[in-house]
């Protein structure tokens, strides 16, 4: 069982994905295979991670159909001006003719760069990416892209978790039709905090599972990362319970009111 969020043109994206930063080489391949076997159908990689080939090989060896696995990759900011060339290299490494989501990994030189965004829209038009978006962009930078092209990113992938929770930023993203995807969901979060441990005990789950479920209650896509098989499985096992509105508010307050 999984939940999906619908992006542009009806593209469905599983709301829990598998992050692959620092997951490379033989161990990386085996870890990604483990994730696929555990039931993940959303794999997040990037050119700068240096593991697109491992992702592609793990997918091929899994026996799963390409259309059943959502693949994200990202353009390094240093590749501005070589967008299409970089995407083609990613596709060759992944062994596919398209990705499901292509992101600008960071604002190049801390600027929105509408010209790069136009290249992303062109790649989507050409069928090389089913959806396109950004990562680590501010709301103002997203507004600049929208003003220049009339097209909002499908996703903004940013750090998210109880310590980062920002209700205003989440609302601003939704107002612009931009879905939020959170990475580093456990960073700066004390999984031993009494709020998390008490909620976890009430549901018979772990504090980490509570944090991941909290993302889903907010409609935020989340990409936990682990190389431990037991945690890989546990991080996906968050669909059998729901948090109450009060529990969500208690977790929201762990990061302070914003």
């Amino acid at each position: 069982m999984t939940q999906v969020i619908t992006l542009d043109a009806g593209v469905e994206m599983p709301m829990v994905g598998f992050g692959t930063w620092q997951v490379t080489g033989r161990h990386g391949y085996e870890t990604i295979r483990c994730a696929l076997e555990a039931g993940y159908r959303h794999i997040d990689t990037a050119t700068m991670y240096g593991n697109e080939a491992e992702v592609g090989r793990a997918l091929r060896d899994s026996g799963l159909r390409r259309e059943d696995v959502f693949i994200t990759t990202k353009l390094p900011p240093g590749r501005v001006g070589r967008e299409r060339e970089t995407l083609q290299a990613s596709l060759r490494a992944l062994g596919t003719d398209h990705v499901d989501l292509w992101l600008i990994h960071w604002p190049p030189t801390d600027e929105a760069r509408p010209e790069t965004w136009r290249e992303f829209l062109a790649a989507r038009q050409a069928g090389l990416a089913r959806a396109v978006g950004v990562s680590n962009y501010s709301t103002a930078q997203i507004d600049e892209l929208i003003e220049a092209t009339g097209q909002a990113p499908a996703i903004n992938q940013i750090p998210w978790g109880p310590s980062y929770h920002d209700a205003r930023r989440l609302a601003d993203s939704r107002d612009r039709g931009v879905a939020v995807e959170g990475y580093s969901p456990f960073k700066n979060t004390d999984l031993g905090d009494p709020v998390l441990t008490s909620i976890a005990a009430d549901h018979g789950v772990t504090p980490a599972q509570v944090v991941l479920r909290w993302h889903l209650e907010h409609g935020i896509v989340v990409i936990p990362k682990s190389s431990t098989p037991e945690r890989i499985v546990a991080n996906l096992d968050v669909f059998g319970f729901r948090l109450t509105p009060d529990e969500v508010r208690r977790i929201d307050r762990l990061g302070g009111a914003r």
Side-chain angles (χ1 to χ4, degrees), residues 162-176:
S163 61
Y164 294 107
H165 183 65
D166 185 337
R168 174 61 184 273
R169 188 172 191 187
L170 191 56
D172 286 345
S173 295
R174 288 183 176 148
D175 287 346
R176 290 156 175 77

Side-chain angles (χ1 to χ4, degrees), residues 98-135:
H98 73 280
V99 290
D100 299 284
L101 179 64
W102 191 32
L103 305 178
I104 305 174
H105 205 154
W106 293 88
T109 61
D110 203 30
E111 296 175 318
R113 293 296 185 99
E115 67 275 17
T116 294
W117 182 233
R118 290 189 182 94
E119 290 293 326
F120 271 59
L121 296 174
R124 185 186 64 183
Q125 182 66 27
L128 301 178
R130 296 174 66 215
V132 290
V134 297
S135 183

Side-chain angles (χ1 to χ4, degrees), residues 18-211:
F18 186 71
T20 67
W21 180 53
Q22 296 181 324
V23 177
T24 58
R26 177 70 189 182
H27 178 64
Y29 162 80
E30 292 171 350
T31 299
I32 297 161
R33 277 293 304 274
C34 177
L36 292 170
E37 289 168 7
Y40 288 83
R41 295 297 179 264
H42 168 186
I43 305 295
D44 181 90
T45 184
T47 295
M48 68 176 287
Y49 295 173
N51 62 8
E52 290 170 319
E54 286 93 330
V55 171
R57 187 157 62 92
L59 176 55
R60 289 191 296 276
D61 292 351
S62 73
L64 294 167
R65 299 183 304 170
R66 168 66 186 89
E67 58 266 31
D68 291 336
V69 180
F70 189 102
I71 298 176
T72 299
T73 195
K74 311 179 193 78
L75 175 85
R79 300 288 292 186
V80 165
R82 294 177 288 173
E83 293 89 354
R84 186 65 65 93
E85 172 192 340
T86 302
L87 179 56
Q88 294 284 11
S90 291
L91 297 178
R92 287 193 297 271
L94 289 163
T96 183
D97 63 358
H98 73 280
V99 290
D100 299 284
L101 179 64
W102 191 32
L103 305 178
I104 305 174
H105 205 154
W106 293 88
T109 61
D110 203 30
E111 296 175 318
R113 293 296 185 99
E115 67 275 17
T116 294
W117 182 233
R118 290 189 182 94
E119 290 293 326
F120 271 59
L121 296 174
R124 185 186 64 183
Q125 182 66 27
L128 301 178
R130 296 174 66 215
V132 290
V134 297
S135 183
N136 301 299
Y137 268 58
S138 68
T139 300
Q141 288 169 331
I142 288 174
D143 283 344
E144 188 175 339
L145 299 183
I146 295 171
E147 183 177 353
T149 66
Q151 296 279 316
I155 284 276
N156 188 18
Q157 186 184 105
I158 53 179
W160 204 270
S163 61
Y164 294 107
H165 183 65
D166 185 337
R168 174 61 184 273
R169 188 172 191 187
L170 191 56
D172 286 345
S173 295
R174 288 183 176 148
D175 287 346
R176 290 156 175 77
V178 180
V180 171
E181 180 178 12
Y183 67 85
S184 300
F186 307 125
K187 188 173 183 180
N188 298 328
T189 295
D190 177 9
L191 294 178
D193 187 283
V195 169
L196 296 177
T197 58
S198 65
I199 292 173
D202 288 344
H203 291 279
V205 298
T206 67
Q209 288 171 317
V210 168
V211 169

Side-chain angles (χ1 to χ4, degrees), residues 1-4 13-17 39-42 216 236 239:
M1 178 182 178
T2 189
Q3 289 179 229
V4 299
M13 179 183 192
M15 290 191 68
V16 178
Y40 288 83
R41 295 297 179 264
H42 168 186
L216 304 187
L236 189 62
F239 301 103

